[in-house]
Amino acid sequence: MRKLLKISISVIMISGLLVGCGNSETNENKEEVKSKSAMKEQEVGAEQENQALLEWESSENFGEWITKSIEILEGNLDDPRIEQSGNDEGFTYYLKIEEIANLRDEMEVWAEGKAMGEDMSNLFMLNSLINHLQFSRTAHLGNNGEAIEAVELVEQWKPTDVEMRKAYEYTVQLFHDLDIAVNHDGKGEVYGVTHTLNGDKVSEMTKIWKGGGIPASKLEIGLFTYGEDGSSGYDSLESFIRDLSDKWAHDSHFRENQMDYSAEMQLVEQSLYDIAYFENEINELGLSELFGDLQQTAFEMVVNDNKEGDTELHDKLAAKYGTYLQAIIDEARK
């Protein structure tokens, strides 16, 4: 009986050990399955997030505009001012960029999306830089841009510098990569300067407009002008502030198509010029101090972006900018 009991106990102990081992292996297998499942979910999530980042929409003629823009960049522009300037290098760059911008407006071209929005923003920055550098070459002949297209003064223009050549070169590269992305389903050799195709040279390209800063020792509302005959895109101070406020809102459609940093930089940089344009109206309303604070903050954001691009400082300044903007709106409602 005792022997039978011992055997029974032994069987129970062995069975228990086997069951325990089986449970241990099962638990390990379950943990491994869970781990693999979690990793797979993370990979799928990352892939979906990346896919959402790369999704874009555009007008039907977006690809056509890119093709025509490349033709402008690679061809000889039919503009008599080029010959009149003695085929001045920088002036030719400037005129071609202007032609591409005018073509975009005529064709009513648009494109939006997170990555594509960044690429279009970078294209805008390159174009703005070329315009700014052409202005800088001629500013000593008229600080309001009077000589920017005065070909009769070409001999007095400053030489085309390396920065302007580089900006034009990157413009050519950016259009080439956009052409591959939009017109060739992403197939073909690229320079790597677009977010849309996950380019590895994007940060290198953006350094070209983050190395300097707007030349101003003391900011005044009237400092940033559109030029002698320039005009704002707004017909009144009210329409400018209303549109700025709508676009600045956190849930605005303007922000949906690009990163917050890029969206805010576009708005604050443009506002420097629009505030200056409505300077007289601002003074008449007695709001020069508030608008001066708004413009000063915008200026500090642009300078930060042109230097290190400190995102923490940007966020602080953006919050400050939003506060001044709201104060202006509140004051206007009184």
Side-chain angles (χ1 to χ4, degrees):
M1 180 70 178
R2 287 179 179 176
K3 186 176 181 180
L4 180 60
L5 182 60
K6 287 180 181 179
I7 292 173
S8 299
I9 293 172
S10 297
V11 170
I12 292 171
M13 289 178 66
I14 292 170
S15 299
L17 288 171
L18 290 173
V19 170
C21 290
N23 286 339
S24 177
E25 290 177 2
T26 302
N27 289 335
E28 288 178 3
N29 289 338
K30 285 181 178 179
E31 289 300 321
E32 185 178 353
V33 169
K34 285 182 180 179
S35 178
K36 288 182 178 179
S37 177
M39 287 176 64
K40 188 173 182 180
E41 286 179 4
Q42 289 178 355
E43 290 174 0
V44 171
E47 185 177 346
Q48 289 176 341
E49 185 178 351
N50 187 53
Q51 185 62 34
L53 182 70
L54 299 179
E55 290 177 355
W56 53 275
E57 296 180 358
S58 69
S59 56
E60 292 183 3
N61 57 359
F62 183 48
E64 182 185 358
W65 173 69
I66 291 174
T67 300
K68 289 185 176 181
S69 296
I70 291 174
E71 291 174 356
I72 291 172
L73 292 170
E74 295 180 346
N76 295 319
L77 193 63
D78 184 19
D79 191 318
R81 291 175 296 175
I82 292 178
E83 186 176 348
Q84 291 167 10
S85 71
N87 296 303
D88 181 86
E89 182 183 3
F91 187 53
T92 302
Y93 296 159
Y94 164 79
L95 289 178
K96 286 188 174 185
I97 295 304
E98 288 289 287
E99 184 72 13
I100 288 172
N102 291 335
L103 182 64
R104 181 194 61 223
D105 294 340
E106 290 172 9
M107 296 177 67
E108 297 183 348
V109 173
W110 60 270
E112 59 185 25
K114 290 291 186 182
M116 183 62 77
E118 290 290 310
D119 291 335
M120 295 304 290
S121 175
N122 285 343
L123 186 60
F124 169 80
M125 290 299 291
L126 285 170
N127 293 354
S128 297
L129 180 58
I130 290 173
N131 274 271
H132 172 70
L133 292 173
Q134 177 61 17
F135 170 82
S136 298
R137 297 177 67 207
T138 64
H140 61 289
L141 301 172
N143 57 16
N144 286 320
E146 297 93 335
I148 196 169
E149 296 181 2
V151 292
E152 67 277 8
L153 300 175
V154 65
E155 296 297 331
Q156 299 179 55
W157 291 354
K158 292 180 181 179
T160 302
D161 61 15
V162 175
E163 189 179 14
M164 196 171 192
R165 292 191 185 98
K166 202 66 179 174
Y168 185 77
E169 179 184 341
Y170 276 129
T171 300
V172 172
Q173 292 181 9
L174 187 50
F175 267 111
H176 169 84
D177 285 11
L178 286 173
D179 182 50
I180 294 296
V182 177
N183 295 322
H184 301 282
D185 297 322
K187 298 174 182 177
E189 293 186 9
V190 295
Y191 290 100
V193 293
T194 63
H195 289 278
T196 303
L197 294 178
N198 289 314
D200 58 355
K201 298 289 192 302
V202 175
S203 59
E204 179 183 309
M205 175 186 65
T206 58
K207 287 179 182 177
I208 192 172
W209 60 78
K210 291 184 177 180
I214 295 178
S217 56
K218 183 180 179 182
L219 186 64
E220 296 176 357
I221 285 182
L223 179 64
F224 299 91
T225 64
Y226 283 106
E228 188 176 21
D229 299 319
S231 61
S232 169
Y234 301 98
D235 57 7
S236 68
L237 176 62
E238 182 183 356
S239 62
F240 157 54
I241 289 300
R242 186 188 298 116
D243 186 58
L244 177 60
S245 177
D246 290 344
K247 289 178 177 178
W248 189 263
H250 184 70
D251 58 351
S252 70
H253 179 67
F254 183 79
R255 286 181 182 267
E256 286 179 2
N257 302 313
Q258 54 196 308
M259 308 299 184
D260 282 340
Y261 187 101
S262 295
E264 288 164 358
M265 286 312 304
Q266 285 188 55
L267 291 173
V268 299
E269 185 173 3
Q270 187 63 43
S271 71
L272 285 169
Y273 296 89
D274 284 312
I275 292 171
Y277 183 80
F278 292 110
E279 181 180 14
N280 292 335
E281 189 173 344
I282 289 170
N283 291 336
E284 289 174 3
L285 292 171
L287 297 175
S288 56
E289 185 175 348
L290 273 176
F291 273 98
D293 290 336
L294 184 70
Q295 194 184 45
Q296 178 65 47
T297 307
F299 175 74
E300 290 172 8
M301 291 176 73
V302 172
V303 170
N304 173 60
D305 183 60
N306 284 338
K307 291 181 178 178
E308 298 84 9
D310 186 329
T311 53
E312 185 176 346
L313 176 58
H314 171 90
D315 290 341
K316 289 180 180 178
L317 290 171
K320 188 177 177 183
Y321 185 90
T323 300
Y324 284 132
L325 179 58
Q326 187 58 53
I328 289 170
I329 294 171
D330 292 341
E331 188 66 28
R333 286 173 178 167
K334 291 181 180 179

